[in-house]
Amino acid sequence: KNEVEQSPQNLTAQEGEFITINCSYSVGISALHWLQQHPGGGIVSLFMLSSGKKKHGRLIATINIQEKHSSLHITASHPRDSAVYICAVGNYGGSQGNLIFGKGTKLSVKP
Amino acid sequence: KAGVTQTPRYLIKTRGQQVTLSCSPISGHRSVSWYQQTPGQGLQFLFEYFSETQRNKGNFPGRFSGRQFSNSRSEMNVSTLELGDSALYLCASSLEGTGSYGYTFGSGTRLTVV
């Protein structure tokens, strides 16, 4: 079992829809990161959080430390939001490195 | 401020050759981590350098090596290339790299081994 699980793996939405991507983890963490990767490869860090909730524009990230669960929400989705969203947890010193990654959620937003 | 710079962006090499990739971190960041990304395996950790010392290493063969210079720039080297080494190689810089601070990723080097 992977230490970081994301769901769903693939998500297709219509423009304007509210989107939720979930991340569950089974290890102790220092922080949780949400990353975005567009076709072409570059990864952009969206959020880093260790408690509560953060908001940036149409993106909202929440984390529940007790339940070891985080969600990324996109309000009023737009085709430019189409990308792979990756959840990663900070886990210092492990053989998987200081960040353990989920497999990613591929989001496609149709106009 | 300048982002993380990886060079080259694209590379085609022949099986058996060796390759060196470069990563220049954000000024002031002392930690540089390297990752291999393939469609089947996702992002896999290669190694992390902090203040010129390798601080952590993933489960890759010894053909994969790296180093970090006094200005925090890092290089990774892959010797005796195999077809399976074809991947996107990403580096990420962080202030101190423990996972508690933000990471900034480069655009990656896409390596194709033929």
Side-chain angles (χ1 to χ4, degrees):
Chain A
K1 188 180 185 297
N2 295 327
E3 291 164 310
V4 180
E5 297 275 2
Q6 280 186 242
S7 62
Q9 273 188 288
N10 293 283
L11 184 54
T12 300
Q14 287 298 126
E15 183 174 357
E17 285 185 357
F18 180 85
I19 287 162
T20 296
I21 299 170
N22 294 299
C23 175
S24 296
Y25 54 92
S26 57
V27 295
I29 70 169
S30 52
L32 185 140
H33 304 254
W34 280 103
L35 311 170
Q36 180 194 56
Q37 186 173 33
H38 279 284
I43 290 178
V44 173
S45 178
L46 297 174
F47 294 103
M48 183 184 72
L49 64 167
S50 54
S51 65
K53 176 179 172 178
K54 287 191 176 180
K55 184 175 189 291
H56 185 249
R58 295 179 295 106
L59 273 59
I60 303 166
T62 64
I63 187 168
N64 185 317
I65 297 293
Q66 285 73 32
E67 294 186 4
K68 295 190 171 181
H69 181 269
S70 175
S71 293
L72 176 68
H73 306 287
I74 304 175
T75 62
S77 59
H78 190 276
R80 65 174 174 266
D81 297 326
S82 298
V84 176
Y85 292 84
I86 302 168
C87 169
V89 299
N91 184 251
Y92 179 62
S95 65
Q96 297 185 60
N98 299 333
L99 286 179
I100 303 175
F101 298 91
K103 296 289 188 191
T105 294
K106 186 174 182 180
L107 171 65
S108 177
V109 181
K110 306 292 185 190
Chain B
K1 60 183 178 184
V4 176
T5 303
Q6 287 190 248
T7 56
R9 287 295 310 275
Y10 302 93
L11 207 48
I12 300 175
K13 288 285 188 179
T14 303
R15 195 170 43 180
Q17 287 186 314
Q18 77 163 13
V19 66
T20 299
L21 312 181
S22 177
C23 174
S24 293
I26 286 177
S27 178
H29 283 191
R30 293 191 292 167
S31 167
V32 174
S33 301
W34 288 90
Y35 303 91
Q36 181 196 66
Q37 188 180 36
T38 57
Q41 298 295 322
L43 279 156
Q44 293 187 285
F45 171 69
L46 282 156
F47 25 66
E48 186 231 354
Y49 286 87
F50 181 83
S51 293
E52 300 180 68
T53 300
Q54 187 181 84
R55 194 161 63 170
N56 200 354
K57 189 177 191 303
N59 297 322
F60 277 81
R63 300 185 297 107
F64 291 81
S65 63
R67 57 179 176 168
Q68 187 179 33
F69 302 94
S70 59
N71 62 357
S72 291
R73 188 178 72 86
S74 178
E75 288 181 348
M76 68 163 279
N77 184 278
V78 188
S79 62
T80 320
L81 284 165
E82 300 177 359
L83 296 178
D85 297 332
S86 294
L88 179 67
Y89 290 88
L90 290 153
C91 77
S93 82
S94 175
L95 198 62
E96 44 76 275
T98 62
S100 303
Y101 288 81
Y103 285 79
T104 303
F105 287 79
S107 298
T109 294
R110 190 166 295 280
L111 172 66
T112 302
V113 182
V114 298

